Amino acid sequence: MKSSEILASTDRTSWSRIWMVLKYLWPSIKPMVIIYPLLSIMFAMLMNSAVNHHSSLALQLMSLLSYVVMFSPCFFSRQPNNEVFYSLPALGYEKVSAIFLVVLVVVPVLLLPTKIYGLFFVDDSRVLDLYSQALHASMTPRDIIMGLAVLFACEGAALWAVFAAKTHRALKACGAALGMMLAYMLCCFVIGFFTAISGGDVAEVSGLCNRIVSVLACVATIFVFYKSAKVISRKQV
Amino acid sequence: MQIELKGLSFSYGKKSPALTDVSATVNPGIHLLLGANGAGKTTLLHLIAGLLFASEGKCLIDGGPASYRLPSVLSKVFYLGVNTNWPAVNIKELVKVHGQFYPNFSADVLAANLAEFGIDPAMKFSAMSMGMRQKASVAYALALGVRILLLDEPATGLDIESKQALQRMMARCVDADATVIVSTHNFTDLLPLYDSLLVLDKGKLLLNAPVDSILERLAFVTTTGVAPAEALFTIRRFGSLHSIIPNTGNIESAIDYELIYLAIKQNNEIL
């Protein structure tokens, strides 16, 4: 019996099949693997030149990378429909694992060059200062979790949309990511507003606001990834 | 490999049932699935392929439910629709990323099929015409070596020579224990290959019978003047009368799919 026959006859979760699903996804994510590191390096270079005149612009460029992560699920919309994907002889968990591996591990790793470039190859103390400022500003564990939760909530929303939609998948994915971002901003505004009018000192209000938004962002992240997993594994065409 | 449909029902939304209580056993062979637009043909194929889940009843593939989408079941089934969107730029890449999931996939069969159609495996799908893409898709699907192949309008866009090549290819690639369901409106494309006929109408399965058993009970005759007195169903086509009569005296005739389809739609007790 060939190994492929053994694999096809077993219904238990298999790493080989997850690898096979990743290979199946390769033509869709190939442009991302090429474009993202280049984009990341380009951002680092732009940041390097911007830091001399507009340090705030340089920081904005750093945040642009987050948008690249947010919209990364759009690459899965390269096929107009996923009929062949859903009929692949692999377990739903295996398909979900392969896709989550791409969006949660591969994409962030591909965008690392900006950080590496900035930290090791830019001989400019101001850039390093910017990095340390940015790092300092988000040094508390809660802030790191909130930042990641918001980012992944937006990415997860895009992922959910790209697999749930039947038409205009890329457009809907972008809309979902931006919608989630808007919801986050609205949430911050509403909580901040009501906490402010209720009185209390600024530090206390901002701390409370952060705590509530962190929890909401984490819940939203779990929710969108759960919905994405469901739609990837059990969607009907 | 056998397909068992047990009281299968499916609806798109609450008010539009696509299939109602379909029960049948589909044995190995090449089956022609006929039905009007919207009769539920593609829905039925999607249910068998596990791409849709029945609202009632179940579809069993070799005893296992198709809706569970288990690798052991899905590796034996493949559904080829019209204008399938492949995850690769060309057949060569498709074999690497998709063919690996099918243990009986044969590169030699694929090479022979593509050669018969005159398609270069390195040619990009985007550079192919609709007909060429369909040929490449059918050639690939037949090389997967699956036990159940569901073909939705496989000869769409194919020229006359390619349709003949497709007939030869199917005769060569489909094993005796494989089950192929061909859903088409152009039944003449693969005319000599069908072993049985399935007729769907408004979501109901009106007929599931082997061609041999139809010909044992019915005969198809053509007359120019008046229809035979014992005719069960008659239509006028190009000045002649085409009739279905009971086959009481071992009359040898060729099955007329159009005639039997129209007759069954009018009276499904004809058999």
Side-chain angles (χ1 to χ4, degrees), chain A:
Chain A
M1 211 180 196
K2 288 191 288 182
S3 61
S4 57
E5 281 173 10
I6 297 166
L7 202 59
S9 62
T10 175
D11 291 329
R12 278 182 298 175
T13 307
S14 136
W15 284 105
S16 311
R17 260 199 311 256
I18 295 175
W19 176 244
M20 282 157 76
V21 176
L22 279 170
K23 267 174 83 181
Y24 173 90
L25 295 172
W26 172 245
S28 297
I29 61 170
K30 194 159 62 178
M32 179 164 83
V33 174
I34 297 164
I35 293 167
Y36 275 20
L38 293 175
L39 204 68
S40 177
I41 290 166
M42 196 188 79
F43 274 6
M45 289 165 79
L46 276 172
M47 212 164 64
N48 185 29
S49 53
V51 76
N52 294 321
H53 310 290
H54 312 281
S55 45
S56 62
L57 178 70
L59 272 175
Q60 288 302 313
L61 280 166
M62 267 176 83
S63 67
L64 269 180
L65 273 182
S66 307
Y67 288 94
V68 176
V69 174
M70 261 167 59
F71 296 126
S72 61
C74 290
F75 279 93
F76 295 114
S77 70
R78 291 188 73 211
Q79 258 84 59
N81 66 55
N82 279 329
E83 209 169 76
V84 180
F85 177 74
Y86 292 118
S87 64
L88 273 189
L91 291 170
Y93 300 118
E94 292 164 345
K95 292 175 191 173
V96 171
S97 307
I99 286 172
F100 280 14
L101 199 69
V102 172
V103 295
L104 296 175
V105 179
V106 176
V107 170
V109 166
L110 289 175
L111 293 170
L112 271 179
T114 303
K115 302 273 178 196
I116 295 167
Y117 183 89
L119 288 172
F120 298 106
F121 299 103
V122 179
D123 187 21
D124 190 320
S125 58
R126 275 167 299 186
V127 176
L128 292 174
D129 281 349
L130 268 176
Y131 271 109
S132 68
Q133 273 172 32
L135 270 170
H136 241 12
S138 57
M139 230 16 214
T140 65
R142 192 194 305 132
D143 288 337
I144 293 170
I145 291 169
M146 190 179 81
L148 285 174
V150 172
L151 180 65
F152 286 137
C154 294
E155 193 189 19
L159 185 67
W160 178 17
V162 89
F163 278 94
K166 288 189 176 174
T167 55
H168 309 296
R169 297 167 68 216
L171 204 67
K172 285 175 183 169
C174 292
L178 290 172
M180 183 60 84
M181 180 62 99
L182 201 70
Y184 160 71
M185 283 155 68
L186 202 70
C187 197
C188 285
F189 173 76
V190 170
I191 293 168
F193 180 76
F194 281 107
T195 327
I197 58 166
S198 67
D201 71 86
V202 177
E204 208 175 289
V205 167
S206 122
L208 181 68
C209 189
N210 272 352
R211 269 197 295 279
I212 296 171
V213 173
S214 302
V215 171
L216 286 176
C218 288
V219 170
T221 306
I222 293 165
F223 176 74
V224 288
F225 274 95
Y226 168 73
K227 292 301 270 184
S228 304
K230 252 184 118 174
V231 87
I232 291 166
S233 59
R234 293 294 291 165
K235 187 178 176 242
Q236 304 189 60
V237 294

Side-chain angles (χ1 to χ4, degrees), chain B residues 22-91:
Chain B
V22 172
S23 294
T25 301
V26 185
N27 291 313
I30 300 177
H31 310 270
L32 171 64
L33 176 61
L34 288 179
N37 298 123
K41 301 187 297 296
T42 301
T43 304
L44 179 63
L45 297 187
H46 279 163
L47 284 162
I48 297 170
L51 293 167
L52 288 176
F53 310 139
S55 43
E56 275 174 52
K58 48 183 149 178
C59 169
L60 302 174
I61 307 247
D62 213 22
S67 61
Y68 289 4
R69 290 187 181 167
L70 296 173
S72 58
V73 172
L74 290 185
S75 60
K76 294 169 191 154
V77 186
F78 189 73
Y79 166 78
L80 181 70
V82 184
N83 276 329
T84 297
N85 297 294
W86 295 112
V89 291
N90 57 26
I91 292 275

